[in-house]
Amino acid sequence: MDQFYEEFGRISQKYDFTSFIYDMSEYADKKMQEATVEKHELLGQRTQKQRKIDNLAEKYAELDKESPKAVKDKLKKDMADLQNDVVNIDERIKQIEAKIKNPEKLRLDLEKFLNSLNSLINRLEQGDLVEKDFWCEIWFRTSKLMHKKVIYRYKSPFNFIFEP
């Protein structure tokens, strides 16, 4: 276990994570663009549905007292359904706006990343048995035993940790 702690302790000084941070920033930018596009699409859908509601309301207002009750009920039902759709679209827009409210929170810089890594190292070294068990369990889940040899399957930038 001490060797495990030592290797994690050397990670932040030994390796350059600049390309990893750059990739993560690009990924965050891409997700922000996707969320913005989705928001604009939803705004367009809401506008269309609101126009349909307005058209149905005009038709309803044009009906006279002698119009069949079934026609009036159908118009009311269609307007209510469209209004429910507008409410659902508004809720989805609020969810998206909450995600893109502060885009800087999504961006990862090198200092934050290294602080998180050092925090992990401290939790490993100073944690109680339950925490150590938790982190070791995650570590062993990502490895595979083959012929009494452990093969580690880490993705970049962490694939270097257990290379020979």
Side-chain angles (χ1 to χ4, degrees):
M1 200 65 153
D2 291 335
Q3 184 182 8
F4 186 67
Y5 297 150
E6 288 174 20
E7 188 61 33
F8 268 101
R10 284 189 291 237
I11 290 173
S12 59
Q13 292 89 23
K14 188 175 177 182
Y15 298 97
D16 182 20
F17 292 100
T18 309
S19 64
F20 173 69
I21 301 301
Y22 177 76
D23 291 344
M24 292 305 293
S25 294
E26 280 187 352
Y27 179 75
D29 290 340
K30 180 183 170 191
K31 287 298 180 183
M32 292 297 291
Q33 288 173 348
E34 290 173 3
T36 303
V37 167
E38 184 180 358
K39 177 184 171 187
H40 289 295
E41 289 173 355
L42 288 170
L43 289 170
Q45 289 175 14
R46 183 178 69 184
T47 302
Q48 287 178 341
K49 291 192 185 288
Q50 192 62 50
R51 284 186 189 142
K52 288 179 183 178
I53 291 171
D54 294 343
N55 290 338
L56 290 174
E58 286 178 22
K59 287 180 184 178
Y60 185 79
E62 292 171 358
L63 294 176
D64 57 6
K65 291 183 179 181
E66 296 172 5
S67 298
K69 185 178 184 316
V71 173
K72 291 180 181 180
D73 291 343
K74 172 78 168 120
L75 287 173
K76 283 182 183 179
K77 183 187 178 310
D78 290 346
M79 285 190 292
D81 290 343
L82 287 169
Q83 191 60 40
N84 287 337
D85 291 345
V86 169
V87 169
N88 291 337
I89 289 172
D90 285 340
E91 286 298 317
R92 182 67 186 131
I93 289 171
K94 285 179 186 175
Q95 291 172 353
I96 292 171
E97 285 175 343
K99 288 180 185 178
I100 62 176
K101 191 173 191 176
N102 189 356
E104 291 304 315
K105 281 186 174 180
L106 295 177
R107 288 192 175 78
L108 182 67
D109 63 8
L110 189 58
E111 185 178 335
K112 286 181 188 174
F113 177 75
L114 292 177
N115 286 342
S116 298
L117 186 60
N118 290 332
S119 172
L120 171 65
I121 295 164
N122 290 338
R123 284 192 304 226
L124 279 173
E125 291 176 344
Q126 299 169 0
D128 60 12
L129 291 176
V130 174
E131 287 177 309
K132 290 179 182 183
D133 181 59
F134 172 76
W135 291 112
C136 288
E137 182 179 337
I138 290 174
W139 176 63
F140 282 113
R141 279 187 190 170
T142 59
S143 63
K144 183 179 180 183
L145 289 172
M146 291 183 64
H147 306 289
K148 297 183 182 180
K149 181 180 177 185
V150 178
I151 297 175
Y152 305 97
R153 297 184 188 270
Y154 281 94
K155 293 184 178 180
S156 179
F158 301 106
N159 54 350
F160 63 83
I161 293 174
F162 297 105
E163 289 177 355

